[in-house]
Amino acid sequence: IYGYFPHGYAGCVIWLINDYSCSSISLMSLSLISVHRYVSIKWPTPTNEELDKKKVLTIVLIWPITFIPWAISILIITSKDYDHKVCNYLYTYQYVLVADSFAYLLPVLVVVAFNYLTFVALVEKSKRISPNRISVANVGSAATASTRNNPRELTSASNTEQVNNRPSFATSNQINSTTKATFKRDKNALICIVCIAINVFVNWSLFIVSWPINAICPSCLSDALYELGSWTAYLCSTINPIILFIFHSSFRKELTRIFQYVKTHLFERLF
């Protein structure tokens, strides 16, 4: 709009640190979530309070671990050379290759790879628990095993069938309903995983490629293409919550609960 950055050196440094570090934090968080999702499906363990605390602590630690290196490097570089017309810091291509590889390329590859592994694991799981595979014979086998361990259940079941003159299908219906619910949840998870992986890969690829090229050979890349890569990276963080809201029921419930809390405790008091 102005043709230059109007907020001075301090405003530019604050913007640069938050811009680069928050983008990295977003990708790092997605990477950890992708790894955790795969591990929890491949080797499921019962959740407990201690495990939840560790997950929260890990997510919290990502912020200082990612923020501090970006802040130090940007402060050092901008203190030596700063262009007051545009809010950007002049960096060497060696710096860009290292930063781009560890802060952006590696997390994107982790997200895509582990979401693919999760996709494969969920497909295998869905085949095992598909509702079409639940047969009356399997239900009968389970019921026989149960009554073998508890003779009273066998006697009770026999008496019930003799009185009603028909078998009971409660167990079969319960198994089928549980299986269908699990199958539906896993199906939504598959769609969510595919959408997030595609979104991250597509929207970050242009910036990951264009940033090193712009550092090595600025004349080889148009400014419009470099800016487009920056904006598509921002777009990724906008699309991910929408994908989660559509396909992730827990995320949708928590977000709705937060909005209800804000509406009740803030807006109603103000207005």
Side-chain angles (χ1 to χ4, degrees):
I1 297 175
Y2 295 99
Y4 65 95
F5 190 77
H7 302 297
Y9 172 75
C12 178
V13 169
I14 293 172
W15 162 253
L16 286 173
I17 292 174
N18 284 282
D19 183 28
Y20 284 91
S21 62
C22 288
S23 299
S24 299
I25 290 167
S26 176
L27 284 177
M28 293 291 184
S29 300
L30 282 174
S31 301
L32 285 178
I33 292 171
S34 301
V35 174
H36 176 265
R37 184 189 290 119
Y38 172 71
V39 171
S40 63
I41 290 173
K42 197 67 176 177
W43 301 283
T45 56
T47 58
N48 53 54
E49 187 176 348
E50 188 67 25
L51 187 60
D52 290 338
K53 289 181 180 179
K54 290 181 179 179
K55 288 191 291 185
V56 172
L57 181 62
T58 304
I59 294 295
V60 170
L61 286 176
I62 290 176
W63 284 82
I65 291 173
T66 308
F67 185 87
I68 292 173
W70 277 116
I72 293 174
S73 62
I74 289 173
L75 284 170
I76 292 173
I77 294 173
T78 53
S79 65
K80 294 179 180 179
D81 201 346
Y82 168 69
D83 186 355
H84 68 280
K85 293 183 180 179
V86 292
C87 181
N88 206 347
Y89 65 109
L90 304 177
Y91 34 68
T92 63
Y93 73 89
Q94 295 95 336
Y95 171 84
V96 171
L97 288 176
V98 173
D100 188 62
S101 298
F102 286 96
Y104 301 121
L105 179 59
L106 182 60
V108 167
L109 292 178
V110 169
V111 170
V112 174
F114 275 90
N115 275 310
Y116 172 75
L117 292 174
T118 304
F119 176 84
V120 173
L122 280 174
V123 169
E124 293 176 354
K125 179 183 175 184
S126 298
K127 288 179 180 179
R128 291 196 302 267
I129 65 170
S130 174
N132 297 328
R133 297 183 61 142
I134 302 296
S135 62
V136 177
N138 292 337
V139 175
S141 300
T144 303
S146 175
T147 53
R148 189 183 295 118
N149 295 331
N150 193 345
R152 293 182 180 179
E153 291 184 6
L154 178 61
T155 305
S156 176
S158 300
N159 292 337
T160 302
E161 289 187 7
Q162 289 175 1
V163 171
N164 296 331
N165 198 27
R166 65 169 184 262
S168 174
F169 294 100
T171 305
S172 175
N173 292 333
Q174 289 173 359
I175 292 176
N176 280 326
S177 63
T178 303
T179 303
K180 288 178 180 178
T182 305
F183 188 77
K184 182 180 179 180
R185 184 180 67 247
D186 289 345
K187 182 181 178 181
N188 288 337
L190 284 172
I191 299 173
C192 182
I193 287 168
V194 170
C195 291
I196 288 177
I198 293 174
N199 177 44
V200 171
F201 180 77
V202 170
N203 285 320
W204 272 100
S205 293
L206 183 57
F207 177 79
I208 290 172
V209 174
S210 63
W211 192 30
I213 294 176
N214 186 62
I216 298 171
C217 180
S219 60
C220 299
L221 188 72
S222 66
D223 293 338
L225 191 61
Y226 179 71
E227 290 182 6
L228 178 62
S230 301
W231 282 107
T232 54
Y234 294 141
L235 185 64
C236 177
S237 298
T238 306
I239 295 176
N240 275 334
I242 298 174
I243 295 173
L244 289 171
F245 186 83
I246 294 173
F247 296 107
H248 202 297
S249 59
S250 298
F251 180 85
R252 188 165 56 247
K253 289 177 182 177
E254 287 299 319
L255 196 62
T256 303
R257 186 176 64 84
I258 292 172
F259 283 147
Q260 289 293 338
Y261 179 85
V262 171
K263 177 184 176 183
T264 303
H265 293 80
L266 183 62
F267 285 98
E268 290 184 0
R269 290 181 182 180
L270 292 175
F271 304 103

